[in-house]
Amino acid sequence: MKKTFKIFSFVLLICLSLTGCKKQRTKLVIGIDASFPPMSFMQDGKITGFDVELAAEVAKRLNLEFEAKPIDWKNKDKEMQQGTIDCIWSGFTILEEREKQYAFTKPYLSNEQILVLNDDTDITSLSQVKNFVIGCQSYSSAENAINASPSFYSSVKSIIYSDDYLKALEDLKDRKVDGIVMDSVVAKYLITVADEPFVIIDEPLAHENYGIGFKKGKEGEELRNQVWQTLQQMQHDGTVTAISIKWFGQDISKIN
């Protein structure tokens, strides 16, 4: 028995050392925030959104099975390191500190961090914000934008952190917070499409770009390149434009 096991182990070792025995990728699993409309969210019991549709089409063109996996946003780094997802594709902002951990694609969409208030407010600029209770998603680029804006940070009374934006928006409706710092693409979608009773202060705290984050290293970077090249093809043949118009009413992509 021991001899058989040794022979099997030796053969397996040789096989793994040969390129012909390299495990073939069969699936693309993207990590998403499932409460982030219109990028990735639940609708009629199914996961959908701009990012989800883009990713599903990329997987189809790469002949890969596709899965959009909802993750706890504060555990996204852990999910990536453990290999439970192949990338984070859910309005993922490219930040300097994140570039140390992730192999990002080029930007595919622009975004801003903005302040959202109930529509009965008299506030029209950030300078008028005094002693507000502000909500935002924890471990998000909104939190980074608040921390990177000393004048705004010092003007607020306190910050309430939520696990997701939908909870933060409910807090705003219920007057548990006075305003929310969040992604403009989400806020504009909720106001124009979902007809939510909010207004946007037309003075962003931060300008940023969305990218798709992969694991650093040869395997992750090869997959990143394949995904980006496929997105470029989709841009050139009009697929990205069609998906963008569906969700935003116009083509706002930055892919070229």
Side-chain angles (χ1 to χ4, degrees):
M1 183 68 181
K2 289 183 178 179
K3 184 177 180 181
T4 302
F5 179 76
K6 287 180 179 179
I7 293 173
F8 173 77
S9 299
F10 179 70
V11 171
L12 179 61
L13 181 62
I14 293 175
C15 181
L16 292 175
S17 68
L18 299 175
T19 57
C21 293
K22 182 179 178 180
K23 185 179 178 180
Q24 185 71 30
R25 180 180 296 278
T26 59
K27 191 174 185 179
L28 176 66
V29 182
I30 69 168
I32 64 162
D33 179 346
S35 58
F36 197 64
M39 311 306 287
S40 51
F41 64 110
M42 297 295 296
Q43 187 176 67
D44 299 326
K46 296 181 179 180
I47 297 172
T48 188
F50 175 74
D51 280 339
V52 175
E53 285 199 24
L54 278 185
E57 179 62 22
V58 167
K60 178 181 177 182
R61 295 189 183 203
L62 292 175
N63 295 314
L64 297 174
E65 183 184 348
F66 174 69
E67 179 184 353
K69 180 181 179 181
I71 59 175
D72 186 335
W73 200 245
K74 65 177 178 289
N75 291 329
K76 57 187 175 295
D77 298 341
K78 184 178 179 181
E79 295 272 4
M80 177 64 75
Q81 292 304 316
Q82 291 181 341
T84 56
I85 56 177
D86 296 311
C87 64
I88 297 176
W89 194 338
S90 185
F92 196 34
T93 301
I94 301 173
L95 299 172
E96 186 176 350
E97 57 267 33
R98 286 177 178 170
E99 289 183 297
K100 298 174 184 177
Q101 303 178 64
Y102 294 90
F104 274 99
T105 61
K106 293 180 181 179
Y108 68 95
L109 212 64
S110 294
N111 181 56
E112 296 173 332
Q113 292 300 328
I114 44 84
L115 178 63
V116 177
L117 306 173
N118 283 305
D119 61 5
D120 58 357
T121 186
D122 294 326
I123 301 296
T124 57
S125 70
L126 295 178
S127 62
Q128 294 176 279
V129 175
K130 304 292 182 184
N131 297 316
F132 271 29
V133 176
I134 298 296
C136 83
Q137 184 181 30
S138 56
Y139 300 92
S140 68
S141 51
E143 181 178 355
N144 291 341
I146 293 172
N147 293 333
S149 305
S151 60
F152 180 78
Y153 184 85
S154 62
S155 70
V156 303
K157 180 179 180 180
S158 60
I159 301 172
I160 304 297
Y161 297 99
S162 300
D163 288 336
D164 60 68
Y165 278 128
L166 297 184
K167 174 63 171 63
L169 288 164
E170 286 301 317
D171 286 345
L172 181 58
K173 283 183 180 180
D174 296 339
R175 311 285 170 160
K176 294 179 181 178
V177 298
D178 301 307
I180 300 172
V181 175
M182 64 187 301
D183 296 56
S184 62
V185 293
V186 179
K188 289 176 181 178
Y189 175 82
L190 291 172
I191 292 170
T192 59
V193 178
D195 198 28
E196 295 285 5
F198 305 125
V199 293
I200 295 170
I201 300 303
D202 192 21
E203 185 182 348
L205 273 79
H207 299 273
E208 58 190 30
N209 290 308
Y210 287 157
I212 309 161
F214 295 80
K215 193 171 183 177
K216 280 188 174 290
K218 183 178 180 181
E219 184 178 354
E221 290 166 17
E222 285 180 350
L223 180 59
R224 174 199 61 187
N225 295 342
Q226 291 174 351
V227 166
W228 185 251
Q229 289 167 7
T230 305
L231 281 171
Q232 288 179 305
Q233 294 169 3
M234 290 165 55
Q235 180 68 62
H236 294 155
D237 67 24
T239 303
V240 172
T241 297
I243 295 174
S244 183
I245 290 173
K246 173 182 176 179
W247 291 103
F248 302 110
Q250 58 183 315
D251 186 2
I252 63 173
S253 68
K254 296 185 66 173
I255 302 168
N256 51 43

